[in-house]
Amino acid sequence: MAASQLLDEQDDIDSGDFHVMVMVEDRTCPQIGRTHPSPDTPSSGQVADKPNDSKPTRLARGFRKALRKNQDYIRITIPKSSVSRLPSEWWKTGIAFIWAGFNLILTTVMITIIHERVPDKSVSPPLPDKFFDYVPRMEWAFSVTEVNGMILVALWFIQWLFLKHRAIVGRRFFFLQGMLYLYRMVTMYITTLPVPSMHMDCAPKLYGDSHGKIKRVLQLVSGGGLSITGSHLMCGDFLYSGHTVMLTLTFLFIQEYSPRSLFWRCYHVICWLLSAVGVVCILIAHEHYSVDVVVAYFITSRLFYWYHTMANNQALRGSPHNYLNRTWWNLVFNFLEKNVKTTVPCTFSWPVSLPSACFKNPCKSYSKVQSTRDE
């Protein structure tokens, strides 16, 4: 009995298994021995007149034809390892989203509280700022900042939707966004700066009107905290700049989670220009002090780099010499990144995948079996 094996390594997306096709042929071995020449056997001269490889070719063809007949197939399922180095864990992404939303709402509440403490510009004029001394105010500049910010957020959202590992990237973005809102809330509360320019008209103070303050919070949240929507009429949220945070954070994520080919590098340059022009226009519009923008950029970029340094270097996480482990949010980092065992690659996939059964031929695995038996 002779046996030959046919391995069909098929990665079944639905079950995550490998299938091995084993082909078994029941065939008696041919007897090999000396045979007497037949009268019909051509002489050596006649054989020499034919090509030398004609007989081996006929034997090979006959063997292949015989191999296709009387075959049985056994399907053996070998389970694939269920442990993934990049698990999605969408429930963690949901927790990070709640974290970002909670700090966003808390920041708007803090802005409403701080607004009541901002001194009147007739009593406390704007502080001296070196940038303002040399660059006059342009009224249109802040609209450019907010339009650029909305474009960057839209580009990042579309790019994030098509990322293969969008769950991991999403929870990183939401966690860092929540952290930056939390830090901003603290800096705004502990030091209240006067308005940076005399052109700013702050909404009237409400003092003990709790109902009016709640309405302002809802108005600020519904308008996205943008001046072009008419939702941001309060003052006091100067240190540090929330617009600079979003312009910087979205660009850093766009750059980090995209390829490095020529096309994508051009895309990075465009996004960088949108971010840089938006930040400069904040100062040209005299909507923030220069220190507000510098501190916002520094905190956003350092926090992004610290987080991704620990996330992309597995050896640093448990190292006793890694001082980044001493950050107060290290426990939250370990919770979010515990099961991520490698660097997240810049690969893309469709945001909504249709069931594979809609495209999969149920007889695809046995097409070769059927074709050989049909013969």
Side-chain angles (χ1 to χ4, degrees):
M1 176 182 292
S4 62
Q5 296 182 349
L6 175 63
L7 300 180
D8 181 12
E9 297 182 2
Q10 174 189 0
D11 189 2
D12 193 338
I13 301 177
D14 295 339
S15 60
D17 298 339
F18 289 103
H19 304 293
V20 180
M21 307 296 295
V22 181
M23 180 182 68
V24 182
E25 177 191 5
D26 293 333
R27 187 175 179 87
T28 57
C29 298
Q31 295 181 355
I32 302 176
R34 295 186 60 183
T35 58
H36 297 283
S38 171
D40 298 333
T41 305
S43 61
S44 59
Q46 294 175 340
V47 174
D49 295 336
K50 296 183 179 180
N52 294 333
D53 59 343
S54 61
K55 186 173 182 180
T57 302
R58 290 198 304 272
L59 290 176
R61 291 176 180 174
F63 179 76
R64 286 196 297 267
K65 186 175 181 180
L67 189 63
R68 296 191 185 101
K69 298 180 179 180
N70 302 325
Q71 296 173 345
D72 293 327
Y73 291 84
I74 302 173
R75 181 171 178 169
I76 302 174
T77 301
I78 301 177
K80 188 179 178 180
S81 176
S82 59
V83 179
S84 174
R85 294 172 62 85
L86 293 169
S88 295
E89 298 179 313
W90 278 100
W91 63 278
K92 291 185 178 180
T93 307
I95 293 176
F97 177 78
I98 294 173
W99 163 258
F102 172 78
N103 283 288
L104 172 62
I105 296 175
L106 199 60
T107 300
T108 58
V109 174
M110 189 60 64
I111 292 174
T112 306
I113 296 173
I114 295 171
H115 176 75
E116 307 296 322
R117 295 168 41 188
V118 177
D120 189 85
K121 57 186 177 182
S122 60
V123 178
S124 297
L127 300 175
D129 191 288
K130 209 63 180 176
F131 186 90
F132 298 165
D133 294 341
Y134 295 102
V135 180
R137 176 180 177 267
M138 301 294 178
E139 185 177 356
W140 50 265
F142 201 60
S143 297
V144 173
T145 293
E146 296 190 331
V147 170
N148 286 7
M150 289 188 291
I151 293 174
L152 281 174
V153 170
L155 290 175
W156 166 238
F157 179 73
I158 295 172
Q159 180 179 329
W160 173 78
L161 280 180
F162 285 90
L163 287 174
K164 181 178 180 180
H165 304 286
R166 65 184 70 91
I168 300 174
V169 178
R171 62 175 171 262
R172 290 178 178 179
F173 179 82
F174 292 135
F175 173 72
L176 293 179
Q177 187 181 33
M179 289 289 297
L180 291 166
Y181 277 126
L182 178 63
Y183 286 156
R184 183 170 183 253
M185 180 178 57
V186 173
T187 56
M188 285 190 305
Y189 182 76
I190 59 178
T191 302
T192 303
L193 300 177
V195 294
S197 177
M198 296 298 292
H199 79 277
M200 301 188 71
D201 294 324
C202 303
K205 293 179 172 57
L206 298 178
Y207 299 105
D209 187 2
S210 300
H211 180 71
K213 293 179 180 179
I214 294 175
K215 286 184 61 178
R216 283 184 175 177
V217 170
L218 297 177
Q219 181 183 8
L220 188 59
V221 173
S222 62
L226 301 176
S227 297
I228 58 176
T229 61
S231 61
H232 197 346
L233 300 174
M234 293 179 287
C235 300
D237 57 331
F238 301 125
L239 188 63
Y240 47 88
S241 169
H243 288 75
T244 304
V245 166
M246 292 307 300
L247 288 167
T248 306
L249 188 65
T250 50
F251 168 72
L252 290 174
F253 269 90
I254 287 173
Q255 184 183 44
E256 178 69 19
Y257 295 102
S258 55
R260 299 295 187 266
S261 62
L262 179 61
F263 169 79
W264 287 98
R265 288 184 184 275
C266 295
Y267 173 66
H268 295 163
V269 172
I270 294 173
C271 293
W272 180 85
L273 288 174
L274 288 172
S275 177
V277 170
V279 171
V280 173
C281 283
I282 295 174
L283 298 176
I284 295 177
H286 293 195
E287 292 288 334
H288 275 280
Y289 291 105
S290 300
V291 66
D292 303 343
V293 173
V294 172
V295 171
Y297 170 77
F298 182 82
I299 293 180
T300 304
S301 58
R302 297 315 103 176
L303 191 61
F304 177 88
Y305 294 145
W306 291 340
Y307 189 99
H308 283 80
T309 297
M310 292 194 294
N312 294 335
N313 294 274
Q314 299 292 321
L316 290 179
R317 298 187 185 181
S319 174
H321 305 292
N322 177 24
Y323 288 89
L324 295 178
N325 288 334
R326 300 184 182 183
T327 55
W328 68 269
W329 44 266
N330 185 62
L331 292 177
V332 182
F333 169 84
N334 291 332
F335 166 75
L336 296 176
E337 302 289 337
K338 178 180 180 181
N339 298 323
V340 180
K341 303 300 183 182
T342 185
T343 303
V344 177
C346 298
T347 53
F348 297 92
S349 65
W350 290 105
V352 178
S353 58
L354 296 177
S356 58
C358 297
F359 306 99
K360 186 178 177 182
N361 183 4
C363 299
K364 183 178 180 181
S365 301
Y366 299 96
S367 59
K368 187 169 183 179
V369 179
Q370 293 174 349
S371 62
T372 54
R373 288 185 175 177
D374 290 342
E375 294 180 3

